[in-house]
Amino acid sequence: MLKPLRFSPFSVRELRPEGWMKQQLRIQADGLSGHLDKIWPDIRDSRWIGSDREGWERVPYWLDGFIPLAWLLEDPDLQARANRYIDAILAGQQEDGWICPCPAEERSRYDVWAAFLIGKVLVGYHDCTADPRIQPAIRRMLRQLLDHIQWQTLFNWGAARWFECLIPLFWLYERQPEDWLLDLANKLCVEGVDYQRLFRFWRDQKPRRQWGYLTHVVNLAMALKAGGLMSRLDGRDPDEDARDMLRQLQAAHGNIAGYFSGDECLSGDSPVQGTELCGVVEAMFSYEQLLQISGAPEWADRLELLAFNCLPAALSPDMWSHQYDQMTNQVECTPLPEDAIVFRTNGSEAHLFGLEPNYGCCTANFNQGWPKLALSAFLRCPEGIASAVLIPAAVTTAVDGVRVSVELRTLYPFRDRLTYVVTAEAPVDFSLLLRIPSGAASATVDGQPAQPGEFYACRRRWDGVETVEVLLRQEPALVPRPHDLVGVRRGALLYAVAIDEKWERVEYERDGVERRFPYCDYRITPQSKWSYAYVSDRFAAQEHDDFDRPFSTLHPPISLTARAVEIDWGFANGVCLPQPRSRTPLGAPRDIRLIPYGCTGLRMTELPYLPLETDE
């Protein structure tokens, strides 16, 4: 038997994004994500739809985000294009249930990670459409997979990511509980990587210039949810494995967003090491799953830190280009010398913004980040409805047979107020659980104190239209970092030195793929000073009313003024030095501008702190 989820997701048909969140999804649809099937051969001409290009993970990766994007935006054109792919995939499923596009004689060499991934995609499509073809297709796929791994055990990515298959497997079991599904879940666990044991005796504290499945940042980001998923079967603590993994990973390889580096494998705690975009969106999905399984609010806190900082930082504000690797201190994005690549297992152009920097996996996979975040805004719980991720959104559902809607009107994380409008068509009792973010210094709900880092329960009889006001007090504060550096955080937003940026368009052709505007690459160089140290721990916030592009470099919705001095940091081979060459002030303190980390293309995020000014 499966242990029930603490929080269950609402369907796309019940949820709708609003405000800046809907605008962000629209930007994504109007950018690269909404056009890959028109211009990128690995999607446009994929074997998944009967052509001859890549027939493994890229179409499933893209559909995993494109499908919820299309239905959240209620966009008929996007939906029709998604339907075309799903129709082709279902039509291509073999009589025995095999669903991936490869001949029978190649099955033994085909990494079934793609089958796990397409299973997730089909579950998401069913959530959007309730298509009756999906459940039998998933059942046939999983039944064939059970037979397949009896003689062809998991290997490579399938072994590293076995737990991803539990998502379609559990989905099917909840609708069609058959014992063989539990047998398949057990066999996947036995044949796959045992991450619980790996981190019980972990030995990868030091980064190496060596590629490996067990230090691969995306595998580890995905594996954060492995123990939580298995807890539904074996009763273990759903959070323990993820907490232990994060404790060890952050101690050795942590970054300021509470995540860990990986360019493309674990790479230490230096602010000039990279973090792969695929890892960011997969960690977000892991946190979303853990939040549903255990209900612990810490996963929503971690989710927001990645979603409001690392995800937008790796995308251009118009979402026509992206990075493979982002650096915490990133003062230039130009090709690195081949003999001085700072990334340990990636190439010299991994940090450029473009169509397909380094590898194409992130081109397809970044698409899931924003849509799945939107789907986590509200979650169903036994007590009623939980507001989990604090983004503008609304949910309409039935509670005890009464039609109820809850709308969150907010500009959080850029502002401190959250207004809930609850509409009940008849009197009904239920709890509205409001997550109070741990990054708030204090909070009130309708004037009553609320504890940051917890859910606040508003239990009452709802009737007609009622409002609930949440006020957060979010104060800028210094965050200690390794190597005697600090960062600045206010609530869920990290801040970095605002650097004037020059974006240079680069158009060319490689491997038969044209990079022509707007599908081109960019090189970015700084046009203002960036080498500073903070001299005060006091910061002043300024709000700006421009949300056309919520994570705009030129027009951020909020900024901070900080006091700083210039220092001699040092720059070589396309990157700033990991630590400043000298911390001696080069002049008098001055005001500098900080903007949200997620609004930056270039940034200095971790700086020295030289307390030359005090409040006295």
Side-chain angles (χ1 to χ4, degrees), residues 594-614:
L594 309 182
I595 62 175
Y597 181 102
C599 294
T600 61
L602 302 181
R603 70 189 73 92
M604 284 295 286
T605 314
E606 297 185 9
L607 310 179
Y609 176 45
L610 309 176
L612 304 179
E613 297 186 345
T614 66

Side-chain angles (χ1 to χ4, degrees), residues 63 82 86 151 156 163 245 255 289 384-385 402 408 423 426 442 457 487 494 509 527 540 544:
L63 288 173
I86 295 299
W151 63 274
N156 292 357
F163 44 84
M245 286 179 66
N255 67 16
Q289 290 290 301
I385 297 172
V402 175
L408 173 53
T423 304
S442 63
L494 303 170
E509 182 175 320
Q527 304 297 299
H544 315 286

Side-chain angles (χ1 to χ4, degrees), residues 88-392:
I89 290 165
L90 293 178
Q93 187 172 26
Q94 300 300 303
E95 187 174 342
D96 66 354
W98 181 270
I99 199 167
C100 299
C102 79
E105 62 272 17
E106 293 181 10
R107 288 186 186 182
S108 63
R109 302 188 301 276
Y110 190 92
D111 189 335
V112 293
W113 149 239
F116 307 164
L117 185 50
I118 203 64
K120 287 170 53 183
V121 168
L122 293 175
V123 166
Y125 185 75
H126 186 276
D127 174 58
C128 294
T129 64
D131 188 324
R133 299 175 297 171
I134 299 303
Q135 185 168 323
I138 291 178
R139 185 186 184 280
R140 292 170 57 215
M141 181 196 80
L142 293 177
R143 185 76 222 188
Q144 196 283 329
L145 180 65
L146 177 60
D147 294 338
H148 180 76
I149 66 173
Q150 300 273 72
W151 63 274
Q152 183 63 59
T153 55
L154 299 179
F155 60 88
N156 292 357
W157 302 104
R161 301 173 178 181
W162 60 271
F163 44 84
E164 297 289 326
C165 192
L166 298 180
I167 293 168
L169 191 156
F170 288 169
W171 179 89
L172 181 61
Y173 187 84
E174 288 170 339
R175 289 156 179 78
Q176 197 171 342
E178 298 178 282
D179 284 345
W180 66 266
L181 286 167
L182 303 184
D183 184 34
L184 174 57
N186 184 60
K187 284 183 167 62
L188 290 167
C189 182
V190 168
E191 293 187 15
V193 173
D194 185 346
Y195 288 95
Q196 188 178 41
R197 181 174 181 84
L198 176 66
F199 278 87
R200 190 180 302 139
F201 304 101
W202 197 51
R203 295 293 183 270
D204 287 307
Q205 287 83 359
K206 293 184 178 180
R208 300 188 293 269
R209 288 188 180 272
Q210 179 183 10
W211 195 96
Y213 284 102
L214 300 185
T215 57
H216 191 275
V217 66
V218 184
N219 290 344
L220 294 171
M222 292 177 170
L224 290 170
K225 62 181 173 293
L229 288 166
M230 282 302 295
S231 75
R232 300 190 66 195
L233 282 175
D234 60 22
R236 73 180 74 176
D237 183 325
D239 300 321
E240 182 178 7
D241 288 356
R243 287 171 178 161
D244 183 57
M245 286 179 66
L246 283 167
R247 177 181 58 80
Q248 297 189 63
L249 287 165
Q250 287 178 244
H253 307 282
N255 67 16
I256 194 171
Y259 183 51
F260 43 92
S261 69
D263 55 21
E264 137 167 358
C265 294
L266 293 173
S267 205
D269 58 14
S270 165
V272 299
Q273 296 304 149
T275 297
E276 184 183 338
L277 178 53
C278 273
V280 170
V281 295
E282 291 296 351
M284 288 173 57
F285 183 60
S286 287
Y287 298 151
E288 289 156 0
Q289 290 290 301
L290 288 164
L291 175 63
Q292 292 180 21
I293 293 166
S294 77
E298 69 186 88
W299 304 121
D301 287 322
R302 289 185 177 277
L303 172 59
E304 288 186 356
L305 269 175
L306 286 184
F308 300 152
N309 297 286
C310 295
L311 174 59
L315 307 172
S316 59
D318 62 3
M319 283 196 248
W320 274 106
S321 63
H322 71 285
Q323 289 180 295
Y324 193 86
D325 289 332
Q326 64 177 278
M327 294 177 279
T328 304
N329 285 355
Q330 178 173 285
V331 299
E332 187 168 296
C333 294
T334 58
L336 305 176
E338 290 296 333
D339 60 350
I341 298 174
V342 68
F343 310 124
R344 297 184 194 277
T345 48
N346 278 336
S348 65
E349 299 184 355
H351 62 316
L352 302 189
F353 282 78
L355 170 66
E356 192 180 348
N358 204 71
Y359 296 122
C361 52
C362 292
T363 306
N365 195 23
F366 86 80
N367 303 282
Q368 70 168 301
W370 289 117
K372 290 186 179 180
L373 182 77
L375 292 173
S376 297
F378 290 100
L379 298 169
R380 195 189 312 272
C381 58
E383 305 94 320
I385 297 172
S387 173
V389 176
L390 306 181
I391 51 179

